[in-house]
Amino acid sequence: MKKFFYTLWISAYPLIIYTAIQFLLAIIVSFFVIILGRYPGAVASLGAVESFISRNVLPITAAGAVFASVFLILFFYLDGQKGRIEKKKSSNATDFVMAIIGGTGIAIILNILIGLTGISGIDNTFQEISEAIKSTPIVITIICAGIIIPIVEEIIFRGLIFNRIKFQYNLTAAMLISSVVFGIYHGNIIQGIYATMLGVCLAYTYNKTKNILIPIFIHISANTSVLGLSSLVENDDSALTVGIMVLVTLIFAIIGIVYFIKRKVE
């Protein structure tokens, strides 16, 4: 029991710190919005401030991720010193190429499969997040949701949580628990299902390569490809274009999956 609670604590506190920094930054932003007089009167402007935070949730989240990364990278480094992290023996350029290809394919295929279930229409939280993303300029969206946030999330969920559970217990427990927590942390049904399934792929490839950059590349590729395809679909409703993109990503997904299944563990 002591081992369980110890593992729970060392796995939870990086996520707690990350969440606390996000929350604190949102409070600071709200405070300055009110103080600077953008909205008249603190009480009267609470709804307007909430709307401002909602519209700018991605930049605020990304900024919080950057601040939190200082602590998270330090924790990751110390874990390496303590032997909690298995060091990679070599870097393989093919791994990075396949991470990009596979990440693109798997992400879009997963989104399509979840979309076919029709549950996105009943998930109000997901709809609100989608609207917030759509209202953000695409360049900012890609920088925040496509690059910064995936890097920090991989340090948390694979670099720290996965490694710490694996060190205390075993690979299977680490893969399943880190992936489920990754899904739950997204806060809605659609992203929760997607993130959990993607999390299993990320943990699997990380374990194969022992290089945190591989799941980072997969995560970045996954997020940017989904954002790019969504933008393409909105601006080009041609069934042929969408069909070709789906076919290409399906091929990418198969290539990536086959490669990492056959790849030997470092």
Side-chain angles (χ1 to χ4, degrees), residues 59-87:
I60 294 172
T61 302
V66 171
F67 285 121
S69 67
V70 176
F71 300 98
L72 300 172
I73 292 172
L74 176 61
F75 297 154
F76 184 73
Y77 170 77
L78 293 176
D79 276 7
Q81 298 297 106
K82 295 176 182 178
R84 287 175 175 168
I85 299 173
E86 295 181 64
K87 302 288 181 67

Side-chain angles (χ1 to χ4, degrees), residues 116-131:
L116 291 174
T117 65
I119 59 177
S120 60
I122 61 174
D123 190 343
N124 294 330
T125 304
F126 174 72
Q127 295 295 335
E128 291 174 4
I129 292 173
S130 297
E131 289 302 318

